[in-house]
Amino acid sequence: DQQVKQNSPSLSVQEGRISILNCDYTNSMFDYFLWYKKYPAEGPTFLISISSIKDKNEDGRFTVFLNKSAKHLSLHIVPSQPGDSAVYFCAASALQKMGNNRKLIWGLGTSLAVNP
Amino acid sequence: EADIYQTPRYLVIGTGKKITLECSQTMGHDKMYWYQQDPGMELHLIHYSYGVNSTEKGDLSSESTVSRIRTEHFPLTLESARPSHTSQYLCASSIPGTSGNEQFFGPGTRLTVL
């Protein structure tokens, strides 16, 4: 069963408008969330993250919002640019039971197309 | 930012061949990971290492094996490749002490087994 869910496999947005990518999670032990961007035939690139003690983190055009009660986070891209067209993965982590280590649990990704 | 290198980028090989996918990082990261990803699917962790001589199997069962003899090198080996091994293989490492486990990825190896 998916612990991290990205229910929209694809999203199409006009250049200059806002892109909103959504992510839901089921495990209440997750305390850190990350967004990655992936182009075809390349590895994922880290974009932005947020700790569960915050509800918002902003970095340039990218803002991540976290709603812990709803177990929901979203990535906002404003303004969207054609170069933002890629697959966006949401990932979550929690401390493992043994030791001081973490693993990332990944969503299936949302393919964003920004049209000129 | 980490520099992670993977070779080859693309590999087409016949069934039964032994292959080794190379992964190296130059930042001295202790933690390294191998993921397998198919189109439209999430990244599946197949192996990880928390340091030299430390290797663990990930969440997805894999017939591959890994070794970690040096901090910077984390190769993945398939003793006998099969068509079911066709996938993209991604190597990553993470910064020591980083909360949340922010990982940096290599470009990946696209493996096709005929």
Side-chain angles (χ1 to χ4, degrees):
Chain A
D1 192 29
Q2 281 273 302
Q3 295 188 63
V4 177
K5 301 177 184 178
Q6 294 178 256
N7 292 317
S8 298
S10 62
L11 175 67
S12 183
V13 170
Q14 207 64 28
E15 181 179 5
R17 308 294 284 268
I18 184 171
S19 295
I20 300 177
L21 298 107
N22 294 304
C23 179
D24 298 292
Y25 61 96
T26 58
N27 188 342
S28 58
M29 298 302 293
F30 289 144
D31 61 355
Y32 209 86
F33 304 89
L34 306 92
W35 283 95
Y36 282 80
K37 174 181 178 180
K38 186 179 185 297
Y39 293 116
E42 293 185 15
T45 303
F46 170 74
L47 259 182
I48 192 169
S49 62
I50 188 166
S51 163
S52 61
I53 62 174
K54 294 184 175 182
D55 55 17
K56 177 183 175 181
N57 189 25
E58 189 173 354
D59 183 4
R61 296 186 297 116
F62 302 92
T63 303
V64 56
F65 296 92
L66 175 62
N67 183 334
K68 281 183 62 180
S69 61
K71 292 191 176 69
H72 175 84
L73 64 152
S74 60
L75 174 68
H76 292 212
I77 306 173
V78 180
S80 302
Q81 300 172 354
D84 296 329
S85 298
V87 177
Y88 289 78
F89 287 95
C90 172
S93 78
L95 274 176
Q96 301 301 295
K97 291 179 182 177
M98 299 295 293
N100 188 29
N101 293 306
R102 292 174 170 270
K103 292 182 188 176
L104 288 182
I105 307 299
W106 297 78
L108 293 178
T110 296
S111 178
L112 172 67
V114 180
N115 305 308
Chain B
E1 192 165 312
D3 292 321
I4 310 280
Y5 306 98
Q6 288 186 247
T7 56
R9 292 291 310 276
Y10 302 92
L11 179 61
V12 180
I13 201 163
T15 297
K17 300 290 185 183
K18 177 180 179 179
I19 59 170
T20 296
L21 307 184
E22 301 289 347
C23 175
S24 296
Q25 50 97 2
T26 60
M27 299 302 289
H29 293 174
D30 287 328
K31 300 178 183 177
M32 296 188 74
Y33 313 83
W34 275 104
Y35 290 90
Q36 187 174 338
Q37 193 213 4
D38 295 313
M41 301 296 290
E42 71 267 44
L43 279 70
H44 287 290
L45 181 67
I46 53 175
H47 298 284
Y48 60 98
S49 167
Y50 288 146
V52 171
N53 294 325
S54 151
T55 61
E56 301 286 344
K57 288 193 178 293
D59 304 318
L60 180 69
S61 176
S62 173
E63 294 169 343
S64 58
T65 60
V66 292
S67 62
R68 190 86 184 278
I69 298 172
R70 304 196 316 266
T71 298
E72 62 272 20
H73 195 212
F74 191 39
L76 180 146
T77 299
L78 275 166
E79 290 292 333
S80 179
R82 294 207 303 270
S84 61
H85 297 139
T86 295
S87 188
Q88 184 179 36
Y89 293 83
L90 294 161
C91 180
S93 70
S94 60
I95 298 173
T98 300
S99 60
N101 197 23
E102 177 185 324
Q103 297 178 11
F104 295 89
F105 284 81
T109 295
R110 169 67 64 184
L111 173 65
T112 302
V113 183
L114 303 175

